[in-house]
Amino acid sequence: MASFEDKVAIITGSATGLGASTALKLSASGARIILNYSKSQAECEATAQACLAAGAKDVRVVQGNVAVDQDCRKIAAAAEDWGQVDILVNNAGTTKHAPNHGDMDALEAEDFLHLYNVNTVGPFMMVRAAKPLLLAAYAKTQNASSVVMISSIAGVIGIGSSVAYAATKGALNTMTKSLARGLAPAIRVNAVCPGFIDTRWFTDAFGEDTTAKIRENVKKQVPLQVASGPDDIADTVAFFCSSASRHITGETLLVDAGLHLGASIRAPT
């Protein structure tokens, strides 16, 4: 993996989970990191300390809701005195759990609008807010800056926590391609589409016992027979942040242990 020495990275929704894991991976080779949280201040400050211990050159913590344009501008502005942003990871997201996609009464119009504001409009506004600094990084190095959208398998095959969530991620995947075309050659835009990620997202919604059952069911379903954790997905996010992916843009990559392949027939052991 290429070094992130002196690179500036903004990672939204980075108090815990995949955002925190990504921040730690970039920190390990000397990046400057902007962490962001909406409500989880204590967890984000703990992640900041962990990033410094891992080797980050500097870390700043910014509160903000990506569904609010002024907050997006505030998050981006935290990097202004560094003069550039080399990496933007749009990780912040939300959902409403309505797993029966045939239940037409499980969601209201307001649910769709809230999820779109955070999961789709938020990443757009973050790119817009950070664009001058992303362009500044390109002007200094002539290497394209990198935007990574954290999407989902839900946006590819229409599964997931709710119809609304899947719809927002499908829109994010389309936007990834539109922005990759529109912002080239100075800015690369790619999306990582995880399947199950073993984070507090599930424990907060369903509790430990149900989450343990979900975890074991995932292992039985996916061809690789694993339940991915944040670090497993963060490795791929870091690849898209790095110069190792310098000739890749407009890509939406499934990182789901083979979930999209469906059930498989395994050889006896």
Side-chain angles (χ1 to χ4, degrees):
M1 187 67 67
S3 172
F4 295 104
E5 183 76 25
D6 292 326
K7 300 294 185 183
V8 176
I10 296 174
I11 306 169
T12 66
S14 43
T16 62
L18 176 56
S21 290
T22 300
L24 286 166
K25 287 187 183 296
L26 302 189
S27 295
S29 59
R32 291 183 170 89
I33 305 288
I34 304 290
L35 298 175
N36 156 252
Y37 71 96
S38 177
K39 298 176 182 178
S40 304
Q41 180 178 359
E43 291 93 336
C44 201
E45 289 176 350
T47 297
Q49 292 303 311
C51 287
L52 288 169
K57 186 154 289 186
D58 199 353
V59 181
R60 295 173 182 177
V61 173
V62 185
Q63 190 279 334
N65 178 356
V66 298
V68 178
D69 181 53
Q70 285 304 116
D71 284 7
C72 292
R73 296 180 188 277
K74 178 176 70 171
I75 295 165
E80 282 183 349
D81 64 335
W82 290 337
Q84 66 193 72
V85 170
D86 303 274
I87 297 159
L88 168 62
V89 180
N90 277 315
N91 175 70
T94 191
T95 194
K96 179 172 181 178
H97 289 276
N100 180 357
H101 289 193
D103 182 359
M104 304 301 287
D105 295 317
L107 296 166
E108 302 295 336
E110 291 77 11
D111 297 320
F112 277 85
L113 294 174
H114 173 61
L115 267 63
Y116 265 101
N117 280 337
V118 175
N119 296 349
T120 311
V121 181
F124 173 82
M125 293 193 299
M126 276 304 310
V127 174
R128 180 171 63 189
K131 182 182 175 182
L133 291 170
L134 290 163
L135 292 175
Y138 173 69
K140 289 180 180 180
T141 67
Q142 293 303 298
N143 296 318
S145 303
S146 177
V147 173
V148 184
M149 308 291 198
I150 305 303
S151 185
S152 172
I153 188 177
V156 178
I157 61 176
I159 63 172
S161 53
S162 68
V163 171
Y165 179 77
T168 65
K169 294 302 188 176
L172 184 62
N173 290 344
T174 301
M175 188 169 73
T176 295
K177 296 183 181 299
S178 298
L179 293 180
R181 187 180 296 111
L183 298 176
I187 303 170
R188 300 186 295 115
V189 187
N190 294 289
V192 174
C193 301
F196 173 82
I197 311 179
D198 196 356
T199 68
R200 58 185 276 185
W201 184 303
F202 290 93
T203 54
D204 287 351
F206 302 116
E208 293 288 351
D209 291 344
T210 299
T211 299
K213 293 176 182 177
I214 293 171
R215 186 183 300 120
E216 292 308 309
N217 190 48
V218 167
K219 292 179 182 179
K220 292 175 183 177
Q221 285 184 345
V222 301
L224 294 184
Q225 301 182 48
V226 295
S228 301
D231 284 348
D232 301 307
I233 310 303
D235 281 337
T236 303
V237 178
F239 165 74
F240 276 124
C241 293
S242 78
S243 62
S245 62
R246 60 192 175 276
H247 284 191
I248 303 175
T249 195
E251 182 63 69
T252 52
L253 180 62
L254 284 162
V255 189
D256 64 351
L259 178 60
H260 68 284
L261 299 173
S264 61
I265 299 174
R266 301 190 180 101
T269 58

